[in-house]
Amino acid sequence: MAATRPEFRQEDLAFDPCHPVFGGPACAVEGCDRPARSNRMCWGHFVRWAHAGRPDLDTFIATTPPGWVDQPLSACAVGGCRYGLDSHGLCQRHWRQWRRSASTEMEAWQTSTAPLPPPSPLPDVCRISYCDLWVRGASVFCTGHDGRWAARGHPDVEEFAASYEEIGPGGSEHIDLRQLSVQLRLEVRYALQCRHDEAAKKIRPAWAQRLVNALADAQVRSLLDEPEEFWKTFHGPTGNSATGWGTFLLGARRRVEELVHGRGWEAEYPRTVWRLRNFGIVHLHTSTITFEKITQPWLRDLAKRWARWRLSGGINAHTVRAGVRMVAFSAFLPAEVTGLAQVDRALLERYLADLHAAMGGRSTQRAHQQPEHLPAHDPGAPPGRDCRATRPSSPRTTPRRHPCCPGPWPSTSWPSWKTPPTSPAGRTPHDG
């Protein structure tokens, strides 16, 4: 609550139609204050244009009234029928009848005696005060308003009807969070505030409302109750992949988690998946480093220490992630090996032999048997020797060693045509 500003603490968030993130350009109909959402028109005028049979767009924009409150929806074109439209200017009842008929001229069929007469007794009228259309089936709303009621997640009937009495500026340009749990409501408000502050991508409130409805239907209590993998596959509203709601939920969860637990090495180091952005590291192709498949806790801790040392030294994040290749070695280790002290040269030789038998010398084998991907120190080797320290694979590669390995740097043979680099103090990179 403290991190959320007062304008985002409302249960029903209303936005200015001209808002740079939640709004849009003005509707092309003169006098309409709602943002354009489709074909240069707001949703209301677009639906009205579609129900009118999609006439010439410029003529419709110039002649249609700007009002969008207390505007009744169109009724079926068959005389005496007050059901809402379903398709081709007909209600669902008459549209199905015409499709089954052999008639090819719809206008002539509409004025003939063929269409079904009104039902008896007549259906009730839509609950919306200014709408005189008949209700659809067992609903208390007409076809058009019943569809909108369902899109909002079937809220309380009286509250939904009242929302049309005093809809306020912007019409559907609001997000109703009242159906969410208290905790999730706070988290969604904070995520929307962050998107507002970043002003990088637009959010259409009507679409955001669908996502809120999906969260309410799933009975989610908090974004932190589920791991990131759950939100990657969360089935949101229709068009989730196209509108990017999966990305929005992941971003919202990460923002809330950062707000709760903070960021930096202390918050991220214990995790099995490091999110590099929390270290201030931004890489085009690498956003995480995972240690999940390293099952031995002691080996995972060594891999984490090595990765942190490399990242702290300015090594490219993609290179470090590629270097965390202890998966095959972790699967090879016998259960009785419970620490680095039990990893001797004989065990490493058996591992390399099994690796060759499994991979047959393919390129992936070289990636798994690079010296720097093996444990940092061989306890059986003489003091001061580093089992990973070998001749550079290229003149530009300088061997690195983990700080836990004691002793001076081993000597390295440089090509005769290459002079080893020296520091301002006159020392080579291999000096202690």
Side-chain angles (χ1 to χ4, degrees):
M1 179 66 76
T4 307
R5 296 191 297 273
E7 61 265 30
F8 283 93
R9 293 181 185 175
Q10 308 302 319
E11 293 186 347
D12 191 355
L13 299 174
F15 303 100
D16 190 318
C18 299
H19 195 284
V21 175
F22 300 99
C27 177
V29 177
E30 186 176 357
C32 179
D33 61 353
R34 290 195 292 180
R37 295 306 189 189
S38 182
N39 279 24
R40 298 182 290 148
M41 296 178 291
C42 63
W43 288 126
H45 285 115
F46 174 79
V47 171
R48 192 181 304 171
W49 172 71
H51 285 174
R54 299 177 181 265
D56 180 73
L57 186 59
D58 293 333
T59 303
F60 176 84
I61 290 175
T63 57
T64 189
W68 44 269
V69 178
D70 295 347
Q71 293 290 332
L73 302 181
S74 300
C76 178
V78 175
C81 180
R82 297 300 300 168
Y83 279 117
L85 299 183
D86 179 71
S87 181
H88 289 73
L90 300 177
C91 64
Q92 186 181 64
R93 183 168 174 254
H94 287 125
W95 166 242
R96 290 179 176 176
Q97 182 191 5
W98 183 79
R99 284 201 309 171
R100 291 192 298 266
S101 70
S103 176
T104 57
E105 295 293 334
M106 179 177 291
E107 294 183 0
W109 180 85
Q110 293 174 3
T111 57
S112 68
T113 59
L116 292 171
S120 179
L122 295 179
D124 294 332
V125 176
C126 179
R127 183 68 63 88
I128 306 300
S129 62
Y130 61 83
C131 182
D132 60 352
L133 299 182
W134 294 337
V135 298
R136 178 170 66 178
S139 176
V140 296
F141 300 110
C142 67
T143 301
H145 289 119
D146 185 66
R148 300 177 190 179
W149 180 59
R152 292 193 188 181
H154 299 92
D156 180 77
V157 171
E158 298 303 328
E159 291 184 359
F160 178 77
S163 69
Y164 278 86
E165 300 298 328
E166 191 175 349
I167 197 169
S172 61
E173 305 303 319
H174 68 102
I175 305 175
D176 188 352
L177 305 176
R178 287 174 289 186
Q179 56 185 314
L180 300 180
S181 66
V182 175
Q183 180 63 33
L184 184 58
R185 196 183 308 160
L186 287 171
E187 294 170 356
V188 172
R189 289 173 183 166
Y190 178 70
L192 293 173
Q193 176 182 283
C194 292
R195 290 290 290 266
H196 165 273
D197 296 341
E198 293 168 0
K201 296 181 180 179
K202 285 184 172 292
I203 295 180
R204 294 187 177 185
W207 291 358
Q209 186 65 56
R210 299 179 190 174
L211 179 64
V212 170
N213 298 340
L215 291 173
D217 293 341
Q219 299 183 348
V220 178
R221 310 300 299 176
S222 171
L223 294 173
L224 300 182
D225 287 346
E226 302 292 344
E228 290 188 355
E229 289 70 22
F230 173 83
W231 297 114
K232 291 178 181 178
T233 58
F234 179 75
H235 296 290
T238 304
N240 182 41
S241 59
T243 54
W245 290 124
T247 303
F248 174 82
L249 286 174
L250 280 177
R253 186 190 186 282
R254 290 165 181 171
R255 289 182 177 96
V256 172
E257 186 177 45
E258 181 179 326
L259 181 66
V260 175
H261 302 293
R263 58 184 300 172
W265 284 105
E266 291 186 2
E268 202 69 18
Y269 188 87
R271 297 174 58 92
T272 55
V273 178
W274 287 357
R275 296 162 300 177
L276 299 179
R277 66 183 178 279
N278 285 350
F279 301 142
I281 300 175
V282 179
H283 191 278
L284 183 61
H285 304 294
T286 303
S287 60
T288 62
I289 296 178
T290 179
F291 305 90
E292 290 179 321
K293 295 185 179 180
I294 304 177
T295 57
Q296 295 83 357
W298 63 271
L299 184 59
R300 184 186 302 164
D301 182 63
L302 286 177
K304 285 185 175 182
R305 291 173 58 190
W306 177 85
R308 178 173 61 179
W309 169 64
R310 297 280 278 182
L311 290 172
S312 302
I315 301 301
N316 183 281
H318 184 75
T319 303
V320 176
R321 186 177 70 171
V324 183
R325 293 183 181 273
M326 305 299 293
V327 178
F329 186 67
S330 173
F332 164 81
L333 283 176
E336 57 269 16
V337 177
T338 58
L340 184 61
Q342 297 174 263
V343 180
D344 54 16
R345 188 171 295 278
L347 179 66
L348 294 177
E349 289 176 353
R350 294 201 306 273
Y351 164 68
L352 294 176
D354 285 359
L355 195 66
H356 179 76
M359 297 187 176
R362 298 193 300 271
S363 59
T364 52
Q365 178 183 340
R366 292 189 59 188
H368 282 282
Q369 67 184 23
Q370 289 295 330
E372 64 177 10
H373 301 153
L374 299 179
H377 181 60
D378 178 8
R385 294 292 296 172
D386 184 354
C387 62
R388 294 181 296 107
T390 60
R391 185 171 56 195
S393 59
S394 70
R396 296 188 301 171
T397 305
T398 302
R400 292 178 173 267
R401 50 180 300 164
H402 198 279
C404 66
C405 296
W409 285 96
S411 60
T412 304
S413 300
W414 286 79
S416 58
W417 54 271
K418 179 70 175 179
T419 303
T422 57
S423 65
R427 295 182 299 172
T428 68
H430 314 302
D431 292 334

